[in-house]
Amino acid sequence: MTHGQQSSRQDRSGRRAVSADLKDRRRSEILAAALRLLSERPYAAITMSEVAAAAGVAKGTSYLYFPTREALFLQLLAEHYLGWFDAFDAQLQASAVTNLDGWIDGLLQDFARRPLLLQLMGVLHAVLEHNVPVAEVLVFKRQLAQRVTASGAALEQRLQLSPGAGSRLLLWLQAIVPGLAQMAAPPAPLRAALLAAPDLSGFVIDFSAELRRLLLALIAGLRTCPETLHDPRA
Amino acid sequence: MTHGQQSSRQDRSGRRAVSADLKDRRRSEILAAALRLLSERPYAAITMSEVAAAAGVAKGTSYLYFPTREALFLQLLAEHYLGWFDAFDAQLQASAVTNLDGWIDGLLQDFARRPLLLQLMGVLHAVLEHNVPVAEVLVFKRQLAQRVTASGAALEQRLQLSPGAGSRLLLWLQAIVPGLAQMAAPPAPLRAALLAAPDLSGFVIDFSAELRRLLLALIAGLRTCPETLHDPRA
Amino acid sequence: MTHGQQSSRQDRSGRRAVSADLKDRRRSEILAAALRLLSERPYAAITMSEVAAAAGVAKGTSYLYFPTREALFLQLLAEHYLGWFDAFDAQLQASAVTNLDGWIDGLLQDFARRPLLLQLMGVLHAVLEHNVPVAEVLVFKRQLAQRVTASGAALEQRLQLSPGAGSRLLLWLQAIVPGLAQMAAPPAPLRAALLAAPDLSGFVIDFSAELRRLLLALIAGLRTCPETLHDPRA
Amino acid sequence: MTHGQQSSRQDRSGRRAVSADLKDRRRSEILAAALRLLSERPYAAITMSEVAAAAGVAKGTSYLYFPTREALFLQLLAEHYLGWFDAFDAQLQASAVTNLDGWIDGLLQDFARRPLLLQLMGVLHAVLEHNVPVAEVLVFKRQLAQRVTASGAALEQRLQLSPGAGSRLLLWLQAIVPGLAQMAAPPAPLRAALLAAPDLSGFVIDFSAELRRLLLALIAGLRTCPETLHDPRA
DNA sequence: TATGAATGAGGGTTCATTCAT
DNA sequence: TATGAATGAACCCTCATTCAT
């Protein structure tokens, strides 16, 4: 019964991250491990021990790189959020101005390809921001702000929106997208029951289809009544 | 043990809910206690022990009325959701057709008056639905479906929307409203820091103002392009 | 969600056990319910609520007939023990003196037909005797003593044992039989693992076969060395 | 809470079991604490909190060394079982072949010196095996199997038994000994009542005396009819 | 006699985080 | 820098028994 847990632990010499480079690498390994686990189970079901084990480091080591569990996942969210913005920007440049549907299709695919982004966005405000040093949240928010501003401006041009409407749309997406994603993913038994009840099947929604509809309406509205954004009461 | 809050067990006679009526009352007491606590701290920080203590009953008694912690809070959400629908319906009838702004004002006030509704909506899909007997969730969903259908139809008339747009709007609100509410309520220290940073003050949003903007755009869009809801691809 | 648990509860008029006869009947119903449940799951997994529900009475009613949970099951044990003695005595009279094997076969079948007796014997000393009013245990023990004495004497004749050996054998059976029964019934996963391990399959024993062997040896020994029972040191 | 037993957290330095050796020591401390408690009250009345407190560690620490409460006590049983086998083997070698009574005396003393072994044997099959990872139970069973085989063989020689009778006897002891021990140790009030009732004093048995009688009969039987172990029907 | 609402002490276990090594 | 042993508060829920009705 003596465990021998160290068995699968390869030679530890050189495992000490002395240079900044090595530290970055170690940090990335931990994040990658968290990412892997997140594709298997929801955020709430992942423990720091598991992340550490999956990354091949000791539990305490994770805390050398991230002050709290939430900070780790916030970092993960940050990276994937930036990746999403990259794809978003590329999308924006690639598609023709006249093709709104095509652009939306691309956007939906970007989200569909990043299920973990949807997951983490859903816990960002409720959880992650609550146990991360403010300074770290600010770094994240600042990155976000820059991308929102830049991509928002591009978006305005691309979709022929009034000034401010682009970044507003992006801000709203932060609220809409995870909300819709959670609605679209009920626990399996509930989903089955909903599908079986004719009067409730309306609650089984398709994330992409629903987001498409919402976006179409929103963009149409922003184009039609650009002044609403500057309503004096708002 | 140490505390013995309201110890000495005040006279227990009459504390026994023996009729259906009394049982309903007791049930309501427990819900009211949960509600009270929810106005003090977030859902995640409330334990069943606290709820029971606040209701003046033993811990086990709570479980006589609700099978799980989540079921208790789902019930709380259900009641407040229905209350909101009542107000919503009344609003709909009271205001003149021509006065969109006034109607939205009323809607925003309905939400503002129910901060706990916003809180619970935010954990509905992520938490509450995960540890409640499916049958109970279905009861809730069915109530919701009926109200969404009825109020949605009224909404269509009132806002001159195309068929289906009313209930769609209500469905979307379920995703949008809690998302926006969470964005609007960062932890105090973070909020302070955001306000202090000029480039980040855009992240400090005002729930009502933001929801107004979003609704105006959404309604305008639905009015302009009613066909988007029936897009073949959606 | 109002429960309506009383649905399946038939007309309660006349359900009040006023006469001694009715009380006996009610008592038997409760015991029968416990028996039914005991055939489905082990003693430790049966709650008083379940017994009451299965008997169609309220929880409190069970306590009108039995002072404690253990007393209820002790009563169940008592009845089945007496039933076993009846069969044992019959067996003793029916079989011919010369046929030891046949008699043992009958005995084994008696046990095999009463799995619940084996279960309850296993918790008699460790559990049941610990939370039953002493007076009730004494009643049980006295019944037992009488049967042991009587059947023991018959056994001595039948098996040609020395005086005292018969009741001794019966006493020992009380220790041996439940012990062997528990050994013979490991949890399913363990059983599977034991069978899969060649060196451990010896631990998967067959209750009847093992008891037969033990009895044969014991009886042979008692016949050979009758004086051991009266060893001055013992 | 109220107590704060050994509160003020005495100097924790050196309390960290960092080497395998120290871990073994810590593990033993926990086992020793459990053993101490077991001498005061029955297994069922001992909680993990108590064990941890008695060992001077935090509750969670116990779970670092044993996956479940049952696993802890199974380990305790295992160690004492092996100790008993050591004594048993020594006994076997020490005593002369001709002196059966002397050997049995030694055996009885071995048991009498290990009251906790008797206790734990009594819950092995009914409780311990039910909440311990199968792998751990197998380790225990394997150790047991080896000892049973080896000591069984020696026993056959010593007692001049037929092949297989030695290990069989040891197997049977696992069922007989705890059963007899439980019979011999009724709750104090019951014991008093039994002694006071002339017709029931037969139920107050002396563990050692009774086991001696049973063993004498069993050994005599096995010597007389060695073929019963290989009865085709068994 | 019958009911079933109420009790409340406990139960085992988990896990983010710390810190001695 | 890395480790992983140690912490301990916290958690949800159960259930035998009581007693007001």
Side-chain angles (χ1 to χ4, degrees):
Chain A
M1 266 308 90
T2 33
H3 306 303
Q5 303 143 312
Q6 66 284 42
S7 53
S8 67
R9 182 91 79 255
Q10 61 278 65
D11 179 18
R12 243 51 193 92
S13 60
R15 289 289 295 169
R16 200 168 267 234
V18 284
S19 72
D21 187 52
L22 275 174
K23 284 193 66 171
D24 272 4
R25 183 137 59 231
R26 176 68 49 89
R27 190 181 160 89
S28 301
E29 284 172 14
I30 295 171
L31 286 171
L35 174 57
R36 231 174 302 138
L37 292 170
L38 207 48
S39 68
E40 294 168 8
R41 44 177 167 290
Y43 164 78
I46 300 174
T47 70
M48 283 297 267
S49 298
E50 289 172 325
V51 173
V57 301
K59 214 185 312 187
T61 306
S62 321
Y63 284 89
L64 253 29
Y65 292 87
F66 304 96
T68 66
R69 176 175 178 262
E70 286 77 15
L72 192 162
F73 283 97
L74 177 63
Q75 185 58 35
L76 203 55
L77 171 60
E79 294 190 356
H80 284 258
Y81 221 146
L82 297 186
W84 177 85
F85 267 107
D86 289 341
F88 182 84
D89 291 348
Q91 200 74 245
L92 223 44
Q93 293 186 333
S95 60
V97 173
T98 49
N99 183 9
L100 177 61
D101 283 340
W103 174 76
I104 288 187
D105 278 341
L107 186 67
L108 297 182
Q109 283 177 25
D110 281 348
F111 279 122
R113 271 198 216 98
R114 293 174 167 79
L116 102 82
L117 179 63
L118 301 181
Q119 274 187 70
L120 290 179
M121 282 175 83
V123 288
L124 171 59
H125 300 109
V127 179
L128 299 188
E129 289 183 349
H130 284 266
N131 195 18
V132 175
V134 168
E136 288 197 24
V137 183
L138 290 185
V139 169
F140 167 63
K141 292 266 180 189
R142 220 177 295 273
Q143 293 174 325
L144 209 54
Q146 289 170 353
R147 303 302 299 252
V148 165
T149 304
S151 301
L155 190 58
E156 282 157 22
Q157 288 219 321
R158 174 62 181 73
L159 298 189
Q160 296 164 307
L161 300 175
S162 61
S167 48
R168 205 105 228 166
L169 195 54
L170 288 173
L171 186 76
W172 291 346
L173 276 183
Q174 289 181 44
I176 293 169
V177 160
L180 234 35
Q182 286 180 0
M183 280 182 70
L190 177 58
R191 171 184 215 95
L194 290 175
L195 286 172
D199 56 332
L200 296 178
S201 55
F203 281 124
V204 184
I205 70 172
D206 177 80
F207 172 73
S208 290
E210 208 62 41
L211 183 54
R212 166 194 295 282
R213 286 192 198 98
L214 214 167
L215 277 176
L216 284 173
L218 218 41
I219 292 168
L222 287 172
R223 277 174 171 162
T224 315
C225 313
E227 73 286 0
T228 60
L229 289 186
H230 308 95
D231 187 298
R233 264 162 323 188
Chain B
M1 186 137 308
T2 325
H3 305 308
Q5 36 217 21
Q6 49 218 24
S7 58
S8 83
R9 183 67 55 241
Q10 70 276 56
D11 180 19
R12 241 53 195 101
S13 55
R15 293 291 299 162
R16 202 164 276 228
V18 73
S19 71
D21 187 52
L22 281 171
K23 286 187 67 173
D24 274 3
R25 187 135 56 228
R26 176 62 46 89
R27 193 182 159 88
S28 301
E29 286 171 16
I30 295 171
L31 286 172
L35 175 57
R36 228 173 305 139
L37 292 171
L38 206 50
S39 69
E40 294 168 8
R41 46 176 166 292
Y43 163 80
I46 300 174
T47 73
M48 282 298 265
S49 300
E50 290 171 327
V51 173
V57 300
K59 211 192 302 194
T61 307
S62 326
Y63 285 92
L64 244 34
Y65 291 88
F66 305 96
T68 64
R69 174 176 178 265
E70 286 77 16
L72 191 161
F73 284 97
L74 178 62
Q75 185 59 36
L76 202 56
L77 171 58
E79 294 190 356
H80 284 258
Y81 221 145
L82 296 186
W84 178 86
F85 266 106
D86 289 340
F88 182 85
D89 290 348
Q91 199 75 244
L92 224 42
Q93 293 185 334
S95 59
V97 174
T98 50
N99 183 9
L100 177 61
D101 283 341
W103 173 77
I104 288 188
D105 279 340
L107 186 68
L108 298 182
Q109 284 175 25
D110 282 346
F111 278 123
R113 272 197 216 99
R114 293 174 168 79
L116 102 82
L117 178 64
L118 301 182
Q119 273 187 71
L120 289 179
M121 283 176 82
V123 288
L124 171 60
H125 300 108
V127 178
L128 298 188
E129 290 183 349
H130 284 269
N131 195 19
V132 175
V134 168
E136 287 195 26
V137 181
L138 291 185
V139 169
F140 167 64
K141 292 265 179 187
R142 220 178 296 272
Q143 293 174 326
L144 210 53
Q146 288 171 354
R147 302 304 298 255
V148 163
T149 305
S151 301
L155 190 58
E156 283 157 21
Q157 286 218 320
R158 174 64 180 72
L159 299 188
Q160 297 164 304
L161 300 175
S162 61
S167 47
R168 205 106 230 165
L169 195 53
L170 287 172
L171 186 76
W172 291 347
L173 277 182
Q174 289 182 43
I176 293 169
V177 161
L180 234 36
Q182 286 179 359
M183 281 182 70
L190 177 58
R191 171 184 215 92
L194 289 175
L195 285 171
D199 55 333
L200 296 179
S201 55
F203 281 124
V204 183
I205 69 172
D206 177 79
F207 172 73
S208 292
E210 207 62 42
L211 183 54
R212 165 194 296 282
R213 286 191 198 99
L214 212 167
L215 276 175
L216 284 172
L218 218 40
I219 292 168
L222 286 171
R223 277 174 171 160
T224 314
C225 315
E227 74 286 359
T228 59
L229 290 186
H230 307 95
D231 187 300
R233 264 161 325 185
Chain C
M1 264 310 89
T2 33
H3 305 304
Q5 304 144 311
Q6 68 283 42
S7 51
S8 67
R9 182 92 76 254
Q10 63 278 66
D11 179 20
R12 245 47 195 95
S13 59
R15 291 287 295 168
R16 200 168 267 233
V18 284
S19 73
D21 186 52
L22 275 174
K23 284 193 65 173
D24 272 6
R25 186 136 56 229
R26 177 68 49 89
R27 191 182 159 88
S28 301
E29 285 172 13
I30 295 170
L31 286 171
L35 174 56
R36 229 173 305 138
L37 291 170
L38 207 48
S39 69
E40 294 168 9
R41 44 177 168 290
Y43 164 78
I46 299 175
T47 71
M48 283 297 266
S49 299
E50 288 173 327
V51 174
V57 301
K59 215 184 312 185
T61 307
S62 321
Y63 284 90
L64 251 29
Y65 293 87
F66 303 95
T68 65
R69 175 175 179 262
E70 286 76 16
L72 193 161
F73 283 97
L74 177 62
Q75 185 57 37
L76 202 56
L77 171 59
E79 295 190 357
H80 284 259
Y81 221 145
L82 297 186
W84 177 85
F85 267 107
D86 289 340
F88 182 84
D89 290 348
Q91 199 74 245
L92 223 43
Q93 294 185 334
S95 61
V97 174
T98 49
N99 184 8
L100 175 62
D101 283 340
W103 172 78
I104 288 189
D105 279 339
L107 186 69
L108 298 181
Q109 283 176 25
D110 282 348
F111 279 122
R113 272 198 217 99
R114 294 173 167 79
L116 101 83
L117 180 64
L118 301 182
Q119 272 186 72
L120 290 179
M121 283 175 81
V123 289
L124 172 60
H125 300 108
V127 179
L128 298 188
E129 290 183 349
H130 284 267
N131 195 19
V132 175
V134 167
E136 289 197 24
V137 182
L138 290 184
V139 169
F140 167 64
K141 293 265 178 190
R142 219 177 297 272
Q143 292 174 325
L144 209 54
Q146 289 171 355
R147 303 301 301 253
V148 164
T149 304
S151 301
L155 190 59
E156 282 157 21
Q157 287 219 320
R158 175 62 180 74
L159 298 189
Q160 299 165 305
L161 300 175
S162 62
S167 48
R168 205 105 229 165
L169 194 53
L170 287 172
L171 187 76
W172 291 346
L173 276 183
Q174 289 180 45
I176 293 170
V177 161
L180 233 35
Q182 286 180 0
M183 280 182 71
L190 177 58
R191 173 184 213 94
L194 289 175
L195 285 171
D199 54 333
L200 296 178
S201 54
F203 282 124
V204 183
I205 70 171
D206 177 80
F207 172 73
S208 291
E210 207 63 40
L211 182 54
R212 166 194 296 281
R213 287 191 197 98
L214 212 167
L215 277 176
L216 284 173
L218 218 40
I219 291 168
L222 286 170
R223 278 174 170 161
T224 314
C225 314
E227 73 287 358
T228 59
L229 290 186
H230 308 94
D231 187 298
R233 263 163 325 186
Chain D
M1 186 139 309
T2 325
H3 304 306
Q5 35 218 21
Q6 49 218 23
S7 57
S8 83
R9 184 69 55 243
Q10 71 275 56
D11 181 18
R12 238 58 193 99
S13 56
R15 291 291 298 163
R16 202 163 275 228
V18 72
S19 71
D21 187 52
L22 282 171
K23 286 187 69 172
D24 273 3
R25 186 135 57 227
R26 175 62 44 90
R27 192 182 160 90
S28 301
E29 285 171 16
I30 295 171
L31 287 171
L35 174 57
R36 232 173 301 139
L37 292 170
L38 207 49
S39 69
E40 295 168 9
R41 45 177 166 290
Y43 163 79
I46 301 175
T47 71
M48 282 298 265
S49 300
E50 290 171 327
V51 174
V57 300
K59 211 194 301 195
T61 307
S62 325
Y63 286 90
L64 245 34
Y65 291 88
F66 305 96
T68 65
R69 174 177 179 263
E70 286 77 15
L72 191 161
F73 284 97
L74 178 62
Q75 185 58 36
L76 203 55
L77 171 59
E79 294 189 356
H80 285 257
Y81 221 144
L82 296 187
W84 177 86
F85 266 106
D86 290 340
F88 182 85
D89 290 348
Q91 199 74 245
L92 224 41
Q93 293 186 334
S95 61
V97 174
T98 49
N99 183 11
L100 177 60
D101 283 340
W103 174 76
I104 288 189
D105 279 340
L107 186 67
L108 297 181
Q109 283 175 25
D110 282 347
F111 279 122
R113 271 197 218 100
R114 293 174 168 80
L116 101 84
L117 178 63
L118 302 182
Q119 273 187 71
L120 290 179
M121 282 176 83
V123 288
L124 171 59
H125 300 109
V127 178
L128 298 187
E129 289 182 349
H130 284 267
N131 194 20
V132 176
V134 168
E136 288 195 24
V137 181
L138 290 185
V139 169
F140 167 63
K141 292 266 179 189
R142 219 176 296 273
Q143 293 174 325
L144 210 53
Q146 289 171 354
R147 304 302 299 253
V148 164
T149 304
S151 300
L155 190 59
E156 282 156 23
Q157 288 218 319
R158 175 63 181 74
L159 298 188
Q160 296 164 308
L161 300 176
S162 62
S167 47
R168 205 105 229 164
L169 195 54
L170 288 172
L171 187 76
W172 291 346
L173 276 182
Q174 289 181 42
I176 292 169
V177 161
L180 234 37
Q182 287 179 359
M183 281 181 71
L190 177 58
R191 171 183 215 95
L194 289 175
L195 285 171
D199 55 333
L200 295 178
S201 54
F203 281 125
V204 184
I205 69 173
D206 177 80
F207 172 74
S208 291
E210 207 62 42
L211 182 54
R212 165 193 297 281
R213 288 191 196 96
L214 214 167
L215 276 176
L216 284 172
L218 219 39
I219 292 168
L222 286 171
R223 279 175 171 160
T224 315
C225 315
E227 72 286 0
T228 60
L229 289 186
H230 309 95
D231 187 298
R233 263 163 325 187

